[in-house]
Amino acid sequence: MKKMTYAIAALVALGVSGAAIGASHADPAIAAAVKARKSVMGLYAFNLGKLGAMAKGEMAYDSAAAKGYAENLNALATLDQSSMWPAGSDNVSFADTRALPAMWENMEGAMKAGMALASATGALADAAGTDLAALQVAMGPVGAACGACHKASRAAAN
């Protein structure tokens, strides 16, 4: 019985160390691409968070700041991100991402979602500095564009 317990413990330890070694030897180009797109998503979240707080009345509306945050979003949405989404950087192939393989299976749909986001953030950049009501109206299409892509191409958080 002791030998069986030691054998099981050794197999578990080997499996855990093998997983750690596998993760540490991931393709550096894939790891860099995932890191870059996570950085872009973080910038989206920061700017959207500020605009959302203004739109909800949780933060005072500031036309200059709102315009700046919206212009940042539009710059991000129109940035060429194609190199950040290489094949093999989905959550089945690479552990440190929530991007579903469905994105690469429907790249045309992903591209359309990106264009919808660019269009929505462009309209937001035009409206955000006008007044609070214009900001609130323009936020809806941005949220819809983000949500459409996330529903189709992003795994739920653990």
Side-chain angles (χ1 to χ4, degrees), residues 28-51:
I30 298 289
V34 170
K35 183 177 180 180
R37 70 184 187 226
K38 283 182 166 188
S39 296
V40 169
M41 294 298 168
L43 291 170
Y44 278 132
F46 175 80
N47 288 281
L48 278 169
K50 296 294 186 180
L51 289 167

Side-chain angles (χ1 to χ4, degrees), residues 89-147:
S89 65
D90 59 84
N91 70 343
V92 173
S93 304
F94 187 82
D96 195 28
T97 184
R98 292 170 55 194
L100 294 170
M103 181 173 192
W104 287 266
E105 295 165 5
N106 182 16
M107 192 52 77
E108 184 178 334
M111 301 279 287
K112 285 182 181 178
M115 288 186 287
L117 180 61
S119 176
T121 58
L124 178 63
D126 290 341
T130 305
D131 60 34
L132 179 58
L135 167 66
Q136 291 168 327
V137 168
M139 287 289 289
V142 173
C146 291

